[in-house]
Amino acid sequence: MEPLDQDLDASELELPTEPMLLNVGPAHPAMHGTVRIVMELSGEVIERCDVQVGYLHRGFEKMCERGNWTQVFPYADRLNYVSPMLNNVGFSLACEKLLGVTVPERCQWYRMILGEMARISDHLTCDGAMAMELGAFTPFLWMIKCREMVWEVMEEETGARMTHSFGRIGGMAAPPTDGFKDHVRAVVAHIMQVLGEVERLLLGNRIFLDRLENVGVISAEDAISLGWTGPCLRAAGVPYDVRKAHPYMKYGEVDFDVPVGTNSDSFDRFMVRIAEMRQSARIIEQCLERMPDSGPVNVDDPRIILPPKNEVYNTIEGTIQHFKIVMEGVKLPAGEVYGYTEAGNGEFGFYLVSDGSGTPYRVRIRPPCFLVTAGLERVITGQMMADVVPSFGSLNMIGGECDR
Amino acid sequence: MGELKPTTTSILEPGQQSGFATTKFEALLAWAQKYSLFMNPFVTACCGMEFMAVSSPRYDFSRFGSEAPRFSPRQSDLLWVVGTIVQRQAPILKRIYEQMAEPKWVLAFGTCASSGGFYDNYACVAGIDKIIPCDVYVPGCPPRPEAVLDGLMLLQDKIQRGDRTPGIVKPRIDPVQAPDTALVQLRRSRSSAPPAGIKP
Amino acid sequence: MSQALIELVKQSFPDAVLESHSQLGDDTLVLAPGRWKEVCRFLKDHEQSSMNMLIDLTAVDFPNREPRFEVVAHLYSLDRGHRLRLKTRVGDRDGETVELDTIADLWGSANWLERECYDLFGVTFVGHPDLRRILLYPEFDGHPLRKDYPAERIQPLLQYRDEPNINKVAPFGPDEGMPFGRQTHKFGIEGEDDHLAPRPRVITPADN
């Protein structure tokens, strides 16, 4: 045996040189249960990786072709299930674009308020989960507590905490409740306070910053070429927000800023979401001031909106209207349209093809986080294994939207 | 103390009605098992959000003994299948279930895990009991956290009785319809911003 | 409204544009399949269009038409803020040979979008670096979003359990009632067990 103090030349040893194949399988907490990454590691560094999605492909687009247009709403809810109201509103807007109707003003403000609350809930979940995966459990619990308050508002308004299916073509399923404005104001004020506490807790922590800064960097050109939108693109320095670039509903009339990052790392993606929550609170405040307290919420069109129940039971026109809408469904005219909004993850579009019967011919969702996850390979190649956790968490891959 | 048998937990076949624990040791063991369930949350879809809500301070399943989610099947005894299981995910679920050591229980969280939900199509498995045996079904899309806690308590009861027949959580009467009950008063006093003027 | 874009493409590729229309705020061009990649590259590089983002790429199945599939791409320019929808029609009636040039070397987003189109529709993109299934498992046979694939046709990856009456096990079978061995609160329904649902309220017109 050689003496132990003699240095061995690496070439004399028979060391295995092929890279190690590691399967970070779908059943993994950091992968949120639905993404599989097969990576080739050289030590801790990822040389190549193959991101496999589709572990939550539920056949959304095929299911839509079997019902009528209103029956798409429950499926749409379960796309980006952390901010279901934004999906509902997006689909309603796309259908209304095809129909050529505009909902009344009160409905637009109402949709905006509920949509921004859903966006706050989305960013709370993303940032909370990211912090938890790095070991900071307390901010996660605080953010989930805030999310519970948002869900309480949703429950008062829609009846369900999460997947409410509240949007309708031509309006909403029910008008706002009486205490809506006060409730929302109290909740948003509390959330902003908790956000301040979370920032004080996390942003001074050296370990948290070291794990996120300069980790998972992607250049702006790559991000644009990959079709990224939303907070991930804004963290890369590109100030593209559908609400500012192509305003819809009343977003052109409210004042808000678009937070943009500089380094395009995971820390920027984290901070962009926190800043966006503050901007959403600003939007909500302005909408609450300007939303009228009375007035119709649904479009006054008997072909698309269900009549009130006393008319259904007492007048023949109401009965016929109710019957036609429920049994045959809302009939969108033949044609195609691409309607897009800013959802929690970016430009969330619906490409609808209608043949004039009540059944959708093709409902295509343009999923923002599918394309963001396509960029995951570029983000984590060259990083260490432990950097995958915050990088992936900062992209906010939501399985329902990515795989549909 | 009762006599120590080689197999101290008797796993009964489904359909066989339970016996009560026949020895004090078995009763003690079942008590320990039911109040220390280490869960393995196999989270896929929207029910995962409600799972997060159940784990968070307001509804908190750790007060039922299920403190720590153990993401490794080797270290857990309760498999929570949370969310839709699609055909592609089915072999992985089966493997995770097989990797768990006896005694193990399965809780199907949500309608998609219980029966496939409204995804009656080429992609989804119509309920996880097509693949692995399941002990408690918690229906709902997603189920309210209170229903999930009911499911957990139902499972704990089953463990105490040694019963392996599958059970379903039944809906409770909506407390909002009875606004003078203590539960509603307690919840109102604890909720963050009791809004003025909201009718019960 | 970017009529200017449509005019630009028509002038540069007069024989590639089969149809064009502008409806509901969307501008659409239908191209010949052989010129698909050329026009896309032109739109990406030309300074007047500068379509630097491929927003979406998908297909629509018209089984009664020949060619059967309509591949639809949405392009967007971040600098100029205009959008365009490009369509092309490919594929024979049986869906056997459905081929189109890939645009994955122009935009990175086309990589996964074309894989998805292949997976769900069977459109083969010639020249794609890695054309394999993305949302479904490799053992899946067929392309589910085609109109001739019935939605209920299941291809289980794993053999189902060998249970008698597997479709009738709980929760479809006999179910268990509550209470389960502990005190339950009675919530105001007199004389009935907790596990029964409350009687529905009768809605009168005065309620609205």
Side-chain angles (χ1 to χ4, degrees), chain A residues 50-51 53-54 57 61-62 65-66 97-98 224-229 233 238 240 245-246 309-310 314 336-338 340 347 351 353 361-362 364 366 370-371 373-374 403-404, chain C residues 21 24 26 52-53 55-63 72 74 76 78 81 83 85 87 107-109 112-113 116 120-121 132 134-136 144-147 149 151-152 208:
Chain A
D50 177 26
V51 176
V53 293
H57 175 66
E61 294 171 3
K62 190 81 181 178
E65 295 169 9
R66 300 206 303 181
K97 190 172 173 183
L98 188 56
I224 294 174
S225 165
L226 281 164
W228 281 26
T229 47
L233 183 67
V238 181
Y240 173 56
H246 309 274
K309 273 292 187 281
N310 54 352
N314 292 330
E336 56 184 15
V337 76
Y338 179 68
Y340 51 98
E347 177 179 325
Y351 172 59
V353 177
Y361 193 80
R362 174 93 172 95
R364 156 78 184 172
R366 188 263 174 193
F370 182 68
L371 294 171
T373 313
D403 300 335
R404 282 148 289 130
Chain C
H21 54 258
L24 302 166
D26 299 335
N52 44 9
M53 228 190 221
I55 289 281
D56 194 19
L57 180 84
T58 183
V60 189
D61 183 14
F62 294 101
V72 182
H74 288 88
Y76 178 62
L78 269 175
R83 289 175 189 266
R85 183 186 301 143
K87 288 207 235 182
W107 291 285
S109 50
W112 274 30
L113 288 169
E116 187 196 336
L120 297 174
F121 282 97
R132 55 193 162 107
I134 185 170
L135 294 180
L136 287 165
L145 272 176
R146 291 189 176 184
K147 294 287 179 184
Y149 189 99
E152 303 85 19
N208 286 23

Side-chain angles (χ1 to χ4, degrees), chain C:
Chain C
M1 280 301 182
S2 31
Q3 279 290 57
L5 261 184
I6 297 185
E7 292 307 314
L8 177 68
V9 176
K10 274 187 180 167
Q11 277 164 16
S12 317
F13 297 91
D15 49 339
V17 177
L18 301 176
E19 290 168 37
S20 73
H21 54 258
S22 282
Q23 290 171 355
L24 302 166
D26 299 335
D27 303 308
T28 312
L29 280 174
V30 183
L31 302 172
R35 313 293 297 277
W36 174 251
K37 189 158 182 175
E38 257 185 271
V39 178
C40 286
R41 180 174 286 134
F42 170 78
L43 283 166
K44 178 180 180 230
D45 295 333
H46 197 270
E47 50 176 358
Q48 254 187 296
S49 52
S50 73
M51 299 292 203
N52 44 9
M53 228 190 221
L54 173 69
I55 289 281
D56 194 19
L57 180 84
T58 183
V60 189
D61 183 14
F62 294 101
N64 299 327
R65 288 192 203 167
E66 173 97 36
R68 181 175 167 180
F69 296 96
E70 203 171 76
V71 175
V72 182
H74 288 88
L75 299 176
Y76 178 62
S77 169
L78 269 175
D79 312 320
R80 305 196 183 273
H82 50 220
R83 289 175 189 266
L84 189 62
R85 183 186 301 143
L86 294 178
K87 288 207 235 182
T88 182
R89 298 190 179 122
V90 291
D92 55 344
R93 272 272 169 90
D94 311 320
E96 295 294 317
T97 39
V98 190
E99 286 179 358
L100 188 62
D101 281 330
T102 183
I103 49 177
D105 43 346
L106 299 175
W107 291 285
S109 50
N111 194 325
W112 274 30
L113 288 169
E114 287 180 349
R115 272 179 72 185
E116 187 196 336
C117 210
Y118 165 70
D119 187 4
L120 297 174
F121 282 97
V123 180
T124 311
F125 289 92
V126 177
H128 192 278
D130 183 23
L131 197 66
R132 55 193 162 107
R133 286 193 184 268
I134 185 170
L135 294 180
L136 287 165
Y137 38 100
E139 296 87 342
F140 196 89
D141 177 39
H143 301 281
L145 272 176
R146 291 189 176 184
K147 294 287 179 184
D148 49 8
Y149 189 99
E152 303 85 19
R153 191 169 120 210
I154 295 181
Q155 299 180 34
L157 190 55
L158 201 63
Q159 187 83 2
Y160 286 175
R161 271 169 74 212
D162 190 18
E163 278 281 317
N165 281 333
I166 191 155
N167 286 324
K168 291 288 181 203
V169 298
F172 297 110
D175 42 25
E176 193 172 286
M178 279 157 60
F180 34 77
R182 63 183 74 232
Q183 271 290 340
T184 48
H185 305 284
K186 293 217 179 296
F187 283 133
I189 300 274
E190 300 159 24
E192 287 182 349
D193 293 337
D194 290 24
H195 61 272
L196 295 176
R199 273 187 292 264
R201 268 184 345 148
V202 173
I203 301 171
T204 58
D207 283 359
N208 286 23

Side-chain angles (χ1 to χ4, degrees), chain B residues 1-5 7-9 21-32 160:
Chain B
M1 231 151 79
E3 51 169 323
L4 216 64
K5 298 203 204 104
T7 53
T8 46
T9 49
T22 52
T23 63
K24 278 195 180 154
F25 181 74
E26 273 186 353
L28 182 66
L29 193 63
W31 175 89
Q160 184 68 67

